[in-house]
Amino acid sequence: MSIDRREKLIVLPHNLGVGCQHRFRPAARGRAALRGPLTVALCALLLAGCSPGATADPLRPPLTDRGNIQLPKEVSQPSFDLVTLDPRVGRLYLSHSSVDALEVVDVQARKLVGSVTGLIGIKAIALSKDPKVVFTSNSDGTVAVVDVPGLKVVKRVAVGRSPDAIEYDPAHDVILVALAADKKVAFIDPTTQVVVGTMALPGAPELMDINEKAGVVYLAIHDLSEVVVIDPVTRSIVKTLKGCDISKPTGVAYDPDQNLLFVASSGALSVIDVLIEQCRGAVDIGHGTDQIAFNPHTHHVYTADGGSRYLSVVDTVSLKPLGVIGTGPEAATLAVDPTTDLVYVMVARAGIVAIYHDP
């Protein structure tokens, strides 16, 4: 089942509150552009904020800079991949791929409290119902079961070629692992720590998110510019979502209160109403976006736009962009803590975790 575009899509300005380098994205054919007095007013606001005589930005930045966490220096250039936060225990998990290690950060103390080494090409981290146990996907074809307090690997599970994104589905108590080279998803029982099944995919998988209420998983298929909806019980694809501005998608995030799925492509965040299966439009974001995250407390989506060196914030109720804030080079992964409204961005090249508060 494909999703068709509405006659009118929500196409909003990229950022009115931070900087003056952004502009409206030109309306594509079939998309209604902003017209009339609203356009005039917004243009006037942009001109006023960017004119030589302007005294201040018309709007404040969407987030507040709260400093950063400096990780140990490396001899060579550091490299990091996906990050995961566990608000139950205040731990931020970092995939430190350049040294094949899982880094464990205490977000309250704001410091690195341990490392688990020997995780070849670590890509991502999944939580489990036990906060003392996490699972890592590694490019050597394994998923490692990690004892967090002991900072050690207790088991390695062979899953297939090029494990990448990994997520825990609490509704079904199962770990899903996207296998990029095999174009499959592997399912791991977190209790027995064995693979209980696999399923084929139509293309190369990227990131995923869980809809606990509907009991399904949304997985981006990068090379086919689509998102597949997976039933973890039958281990099958029940729907395929196409259209909107989905083009080589990467990160996905689901807002259960609004029944909206947000899909990140380079330069655009597509919005899909999964209840009525309809495209709601697209919001301009930056480029080089990898991981995105949803905060159920603020109803905001955050996109790590590593190519543009900033983070975009979008309100999931009004579907309005709230602005951007600068991060740094290769800052393409992030996590949010809904209990504190703090956003953690991995600035890979600098080897720091940048911290922002919303607002």
Side-chain angles (χ1 to χ4, degrees), residues 38-212:
L38 177 59
T39 302
V40 175
L42 289 174
C43 289
L45 183 60
L46 282 169
L47 290 173
C50 296
S51 63
T55 57
D57 272 335
L59 300 176
R60 66 181 183 181
L63 303 177
T64 303
D65 189 340
R66 289 293 181 86
N68 59 67
I69 301 169
Q70 178 67 60
L71 301 174
K73 298 288 187 179
E74 291 184 46
V75 175
S76 58
Q77 182 174 308
S79 176
F80 292 82
D81 214 305
L82 302 175
V83 304
T84 298
L85 187 136
D86 190 345
R88 298 172 298 179
V89 292
R91 291 293 183 267
L92 178 68
Y93 300 105
L94 311 173
S95 301
H96 197 165
S97 52
S98 56
V99 296
D100 299 326
L102 168 67
E103 310 289 12
V104 184
V105 173
D106 182 329
V107 296
Q108 293 183 341
R110 294 193 173 192
K111 67 178 183 179
L112 181 70
V113 293
S115 299
V116 181
T117 59
L119 301 172
I120 306 300
I122 180 173
K123 303 292 288 184
I125 308 101
L127 306 178
S128 70
K129 62 183 176 183
D130 183 353
K132 296 179 181 180
V133 177
V134 300
F135 295 73
T136 72
S137 58
N138 314 300
S139 60
D140 63 354
T142 68
V143 166
V145 185
V146 177
D147 170 10
V148 176
L151 294 174
K152 61 182 180 180
V153 175
V154 296
K155 187 173 182 179
R156 296 178 190 270
V157 183
V159 291
R161 296 184 300 160
S162 303
D164 196 348
I166 183 170
E167 288 286 345
Y168 173 61
D169 176 4
H172 301 103
D173 191 30
V174 67
I175 303 287
L176 291 89
V177 190
L179 305 176
D182 289 339
K183 297 183 179 179
K184 291 182 178 180
V185 172
F187 299 83
I188 298 175
D189 183 321
T191 302
T192 62
Q193 300 171 356
V194 298
V195 176
V196 293
T198 62
M199 60 165 283
L201 295 171
E206 272 286 342
L207 306 189
M208 66 183 101
D209 201 7
I210 312 294
N211 180 343
E212 293 185 48

Side-chain angles (χ1 to χ4, degrees), residues 250-282:
T250 50
V252 295
Y254 176 67
D255 179 349
D257 292 332
Q258 312 302 319
N259 293 303
L260 294 179
L261 178 67
F262 296 83
V263 184
S265 302
S266 186
L269 185 68
S270 295
V271 186
I272 299 171
D273 188 320
V274 298
L275 190 62
I276 61 176
E277 298 178 351
Q278 195 169 46
C279 175
R280 292 284 300 274

Side-chain angles (χ1 to χ4, degrees), residues 288-344:
T289 308
D290 194 359
Q291 200 167 18
I292 70 176
F294 168 67
N295 184 346
H297 180 235
T298 60
H299 281 93
H300 291 166
V301 165
Y302 313 93
T303 71
D305 308 327
S308 299
R309 300 191 178 192
Y310 55 67
L311 181 154
S312 299
V313 186
V314 177
D315 185 275
T316 65
V317 178
S318 67
L319 301 184
K320 291 182 178 180
L322 302 180
V324 302
I325 189 165
T327 50
E330 299 180 17
T333 58
L334 55 73
V336 61
D337 187 344
T339 67
T340 61
D341 294 334
L342 290 173
V343 182
Y344 299 88

